[in-house]
């Protein structure tokens, strides 16, 4: 492995970890292997702690490619609960309202999904890292302050229903979208369009650009490769 010229490592981020947690572990392992106290490591596309799946980590000079890598399309498998909302649009916060959802059928979902494909405008969640007056929106939201965020244009290229359980209101979707798409916000907007509420209950990112989940290492596998694989250096 040539960490200095740069490696692009696909990690399957575990549930509960922040993206920074994963980067920190990888950076620490590389520093130990190279015997250095500092080393440049970054990631392309943040994943929330409640999400799992593809996290692209770049080392050394490959960190210069982060911006380009983030431009790649991202694919997710999302589980949405219809009939209830939360302030954060996911499980970070408790349910704040419930709504009838017995009228929602698979056919209604299929008829509604096209409204959310193509170039669309989306208002980011207030519990997000979007900056407002130089501060992250979540810092206001967690203090109970009202925050008004402007809608942003993005692309949802594909939106596929993988399953719907009418008894529980559990809807599973595959989403192929551009950077900047908040699947939590999609859950909110789709729930409203279906005449009920909705919030995200599980999220797995299965693709970032050309990096897919089936080619990713677990954290433990990545640490083992970093510790054991042969090293090469730019001047060799």
């Amino acid at each position: 492995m040539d960490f200095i010229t740069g490696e692009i490592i696909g990690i399957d981020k575990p549930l509960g970890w922040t993206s920074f947690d994963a980067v920190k572990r990888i950076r620490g392992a590389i520093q130990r292997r190279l015997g250095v106290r500092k080393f440049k490591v970054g990631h392309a596309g943040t994943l929330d702690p409640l999400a799992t799946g593809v996290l692209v980590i770049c080392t050394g000079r490959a960190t210069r490619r982060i911006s380009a890598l983030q431009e790649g399309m991202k694919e997710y498998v999302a589980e949405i609960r219809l009939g209830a909302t939360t302030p954060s649009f996911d499980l970070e916060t408790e349910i704040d309202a419930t709504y009838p959802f017995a009228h929602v059928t698979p056919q209604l979902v299929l008829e509604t999904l096209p409204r959310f494909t193509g170039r669309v405008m989306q208002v980011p969640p207030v519990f997000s890292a979007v900056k407002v007056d130089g501060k992250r929106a979540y810092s206001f939201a967690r203090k109970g302050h009202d925050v008004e965020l402007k809608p942003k244009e993005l692309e949802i290229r594909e939106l596929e229903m993988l399953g719907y359980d009418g008894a529980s209101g559990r809807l599973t979707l595959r989403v192929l979208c551009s950077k900047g798409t908040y699947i939590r916000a999609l859950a909110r907007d789709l729930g409203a369009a279906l005449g009920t509420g909705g919030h995200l209950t599980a999220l797995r990112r299965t693709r970032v650009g050309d990096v897919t989940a089936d080619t990713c290492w677990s954290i433990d596998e990545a640490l083992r490769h970093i510790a054991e694989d042969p090293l090469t250096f730019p001047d060799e």
Side-chain angles (χ1 to χ4, degrees), residues 182-209:
Y182 283 92
I183 309 301
R184 290 179 286 148
L186 175 62
R188 168 202 64 195
D189 296 340
L190 181 57
L194 290 168
T196 184
H199 66 280
L200 189 67
T201 54
L203 183 66
R204 179 165 178 76
R205 187 157 68 189
T206 53
R207 172 183 158 194
V208 175

Tab-separated table of all heavy atoms in Angstrom, residues 182-209:
chain	number	residue	atom	x	y	z
A	182	TYR	N	-30.631	14.926	1.302
A	182	TYR	CA	-30.903	14.424	2.644
A	182	TYR	C	-32.045	13.418	2.549
A	182	TYR	O	-33.176	13.780	2.226
A	182	TYR	CB	-31.290	15.564	3.589
A	182	TYR	CG	-30.117	16.393	4.052
A	182	TYR	CD1	-29.734	17.536	3.359
A	182	TYR	CD2	-29.376	16.026	5.180
A	182	TYR	CE1	-28.653	18.299	3.784
A	182	TYR	CE2	-28.303	16.780	5.609
A	182	TYR	CZ	-27.943	17.914	4.913
A	182	TYR	OH	-26.866	18.666	5.330
A	183	ILE	N	-31.738	12.159	2.812
A	183	ILE	CA	-32.773	11.122	2.752
A	183	ILE	C	-33.795	11.346	3.861
A	183	ILE	O	-34.979	11.028	3.706
A	183	ILE	CB	-32.150	9.719	2.845
A	183	ILE	CG1	-30.999	9.566	1.822
A	183	ILE	CG2	-33.215	8.654	2.593
A	183	ILE	CD1	-31.418	9.774	0.381
A	184	ARG	N	-33.369	11.923	4.974
A	184	ARG	CA	-34.311	12.279	6.047
A	184	ARG	C	-35.356	13.276	5.543
A	184	ARG	O	-36.539	13.182	5.886
A	184	ARG	CB	-33.566	12.901	7.226
A	184	ARG	CG	-32.716	11.938	8.003
A	184	ARG	CD	-31.997	12.661	9.121
A	184	ARG	NE	-30.897	13.486	8.624
A	184	ARG	CZ	-30.504	14.632	9.184
A	184	ARG	NH1	-31.148	15.113	10.231
A	184	ARG	NH2	-29.476	15.290	8.709
A	185	ALA	N	-34.891	14.244	4.764
A	185	ALA	CA	-35.821	15.240	4.220
A	185	ALA	C	-36.750	14.607	3.194
A	185	ALA	O	-37.932	14.982	3.088
A	185	ALA	CB	-35.056	16.400	3.598
A	186	LEU	N	-36.236	13.635	2.438
A	186	LEU	CA	-37.081	12.905	1.500
A	186	LEU	C	-38.180	12.163	2.247
A	186	LEU	O	-39.337	12.135	1.814
A	186	LEU	CB	-36.239	11.929	0.679
A	186	LEU	CG	-36.994	11.004	-0.272
A	186	LEU	CD1	-37.734	11.798	-1.339
A	186	LEU	CD2	-36.036	10.001	-0.919
A	187	ALA	N	-37.832	11.554	3.393
A	187	ALA	CA	-38.831	10.857	4.213
A	187	ALA	C	-39.914	11.824	4.664
A	187	ALA	O	-41.110	11.503	4.629
A	187	ALA	CB	-38.156	10.198	5.415
A	188	ARG	N	-39.512	12.996	5.096
A	188	ARG	CA	-40.477	14.031	5.509
A	188	ARG	C	-41.391	14.420	4.363
A	188	ARG	O	-42.622	14.434	4.506
A	188	ARG	CB	-39.702	15.261	5.987
A	188	ARG	CG	-40.539	16.523	6.172
A	188	ARG	CD	-39.674	17.772	6.120
A	188	ARG	NE	-39.042	17.950	4.808
A	188	ARG	CZ	-38.029	18.790	4.572
A	188	ARG	NH1	-37.516	19.509	5.554
A	188	ARG	NH2	-37.524	18.891	3.346
A	189	ASP	N	-40.790	14.724	3.212
A	189	ASP	CA	-41.561	15.233	2.076
A	189	ASP	C	-42.463	14.162	1.467
A	189	ASP	O	-43.596	14.444	1.070
A	189	ASP	CB	-40.613	15.781	1.012
A	189	ASP	CG	-39.812	16.982	1.504
A	189	ASP	OD1	-40.242	17.610	2.493
A	189	ASP	OD2	-38.762	17.281	0.910
A	190	LEU	N	-41.960	12.926	1.410
A	190	LEU	CA	-42.755	11.843	0.852
A	190	LEU	C	-43.941	11.543	1.759
A	190	LEU	O	-45.071	11.324	1.281
A	190	LEU	CB	-41.892	10.599	0.661
A	190	LEU	CG	-42.583	9.372	0.063
A	190	LEU	CD1	-43.197	9.700	-1.299
A	190	LEU	CD2	-41.594	8.216	-0.061
A	191	GLY	N	-43.715	11.553	3.066
A	191	GLY	CA	-44.817	11.329	3.997
A	191	GLY	C	-45.913	12.359	3.815
A	191	GLY	O	-47.102	12.019	3.756
A	192	ALA	N	-45.519	13.627	3.675
A	192	ALA	CA	-46.500	14.695	3.480
A	192	ALA	C	-47.247	14.520	2.168
A	192	ALA	O	-48.469	14.717	2.094
A	192	ALA	CB	-45.807	16.046	3.521
A	193	ALA	N	-46.529	14.133	1.116
A	193	ALA	CA	-47.156	13.941	-0.188
A	193	ALA	C	-48.152	12.785	-0.177
A	193	ALA	O	-49.121	12.780	-0.943
A	193	ALA	CB	-46.090	13.699	-1.257
A	194	LEU	N	-47.926	11.817	0.698
A	194	LEU	CA	-48.828	10.675	0.818
A	194	LEU	C	-49.994	10.959	1.772
A	194	LEU	O	-50.804	10.077	2.044
A	194	LEU	CB	-48.054	9.450	1.314
A	194	LEU	CG	-47.054	8.849	0.310
A	194	LEU	CD1	-46.150	7.836	1.005
A	194	LEU	CD2	-47.772	8.210	-0.868
A	195	GLY	N	-50.038	12.177	2.286
A	195	GLY	CA	-51.135	12.555	3.166
A	195	GLY	C	-50.995	12.036	4.580
A	195	GLY	O	-51.986	11.803	5.272
A	196	THR	N	-49.756	11.863	5.022
A	196	THR	CA	-49.496	11.385	6.374
A	196	THR	C	-48.170	11.981	6.823
A	196	THR	O	-47.693	12.971	6.266
A	196	THR	CB	-49.484	9.840	6.411
A	196	THR	OG1	-49.312	9.402	7.760
A	196	THR	CG2	-48.405	9.253	5.524
A	197	GLY	N	-47.567	11.418	7.862
A	197	GLY	CA	-46.229	11.830	8.268
A	197	GLY	C	-45.224	10.771	7.883
A	197	GLY	O	-45.592	9.668	7.458
A	198	GLY	N	-43.956	11.078	8.015
A	198	GLY	CA	-42.929	10.095	7.717
A	198	GLY	C	-41.599	10.478	8.333
A	198	GLY	O	-41.275	11.667	8.427
A	199	HIS	N	-40.841	9.485	8.779
A	199	HIS	CA	-39.483	9.746	9.252
A	199	HIS	C	-38.610	8.530	8.958
A	199	HIS	O	-39.090	7.405	8.805
A	199	HIS	CB	-39.452	10.091	10.744
A	199	HIS	CG	-39.851	8.972	11.657
A	199	HIS	ND1	-41.168	8.639	11.897
A	199	HIS	CD2	-39.101	8.107	12.401
A	199	HIS	CE1	-41.217	7.627	12.756
A	199	HIS	NE2	-39.985	7.273	13.055
A	200	LEU	N	-37.329	8.770	8.864
A	200	LEU	CA	-36.359	7.747	8.507
A	200	LEU	C	-36.032	6.884	9.722
A	200	LEU	O	-35.737	7.395	10.798
A	200	LEU	CB	-35.085	8.430	7.994
A	200	LEU	CG	-34.006	7.565	7.363
A	200	LEU	CD1	-34.486	6.973	6.045
A	200	LEU	CD2	-32.741	8.401	7.120
A	201	THR	N	-36.095	5.565	9.547
A	201	THR	CA	-35.792	4.661	10.657
A	201	THR	C	-34.521	3.848	10.434
A	201	THR	O	-33.967	3.301	11.389
A	201	THR	CB	-36.961	3.699	10.916
A	201	THR	OG1	-37.293	3.008	9.701
A	201	THR	CG2	-38.190	4.474	11.399
A	202	ALA	N	-34.048	3.748	9.203
A	202	ALA	CA	-32.795	3.046	8.919
A	202	ALA	C	-32.273	3.523	7.572
A	202	ALA	O	-33.062	3.812	6.665
A	202	ALA	CB	-32.983	1.530	8.909
A	203	LEU	N	-30.954	3.601	7.463
A	203	LEU	CA	-30.352	4.060	6.208
A	203	LEU	C	-29.028	3.346	5.987
A	203	LEU	O	-28.175	3.294	6.880
A	203	LEU	CB	-30.122	5.576	6.238
A	203	LEU	CG	-29.565	6.189	4.946
A	203	LEU	CD1	-30.591	6.067	3.821
A	203	LEU	CD2	-29.184	7.645	5.159
A	204	ARG	N	-28.873	2.811	4.786
A	204	ARG	CA	-27.606	2.181	4.395
A	204	ARG	C	-27.173	2.745	3.049
A	204	ARG	O	-27.938	2.710	2.077
A	204	ARG	CB	-27.751	0.669	4.305
A	204	ARG	CG	-26.466	-0.039	3.879
A	204	ARG	CD	-26.507	-1.526	4.148
A	204	ARG	NE	-25.298	-2.203	3.684
A	204	ARG	CZ	-24.127	-2.172	4.305
A	204	ARG	NH1	-23.985	-1.484	5.421
A	204	ARG	NH2	-23.080	-2.825	3.823
A	205	ARG	N	-25.947	3.274	3.006
A	205	ARG	CA	-25.413	3.765	1.729
A	205	ARG	C	-24.701	2.609	1.043
A	205	ARG	O	-23.791	1.999	1.601
A	205	ARG	CB	-24.454	4.939	1.947
A	205	ARG	CG	-24.015	5.567	0.639
A	205	ARG	CD	-23.564	7.007	0.823
A	205	ARG	NE	-22.326	7.117	1.585
A	205	ARG	CZ	-21.837	8.279	2.023
A	205	ARG	NH1	-22.505	9.405	1.812
A	205	ARG	NH2	-20.705	8.308	2.696
A	206	THR	N	-25.133	2.302	-0.149
A	206	THR	CA	-24.609	1.142	-0.867
A	206	THR	C	-23.644	1.505	-1.990
A	206	THR	O	-23.014	0.617	-2.558
A	206	THR	CB	-25.780	0.328	-1.462
A	206	THR	OG1	-26.612	1.203	-2.245
A	206	THR	CG2	-26.621	-0.285	-0.352
A	207	ARG	N	-23.519	2.815	-2.261
A	207	ARG	CA	-22.630	3.215	-3.355
A	207	ARG	C	-22.261	4.682	-3.233
A	207	ARG	O	-23.091	5.507	-2.876
A	207	ARG	CB	-23.311	2.957	-4.696
A	207	ARG	CG	-22.583	3.508	-5.919
A	207	ARG	CD	-23.394	3.257	-7.174
A	207	ARG	NE	-23.039	4.176	-8.237
A	207	ARG	CZ	-23.740	4.382	-9.348
A	207	ARG	NH1	-24.852	3.702	-9.541
A	207	ARG	NH2	-23.350	5.237	-10.258
A	208	VAL	N	-20.987	4.990	-3.506
A	208	VAL	CA	-20.516	6.361	-3.704
A	208	VAL	C	-19.681	6.357	-4.973
A	208	VAL	O	-18.586	5.789	-4.994
A	208	VAL	CB	-19.665	6.869	-2.521
A	208	VAL	CG1	-19.089	8.255	-2.839
A	208	VAL	CG2	-20.480	6.924	-1.245
A	209	GLY	N	-20.198	6.937	-6.044
A	209	GLY	CA	-19.493	6.883	-7.318
A	209	GLY	C	-19.315	5.449	-7.766
A	209	GLY	O	-20.282	4.697	-7.907
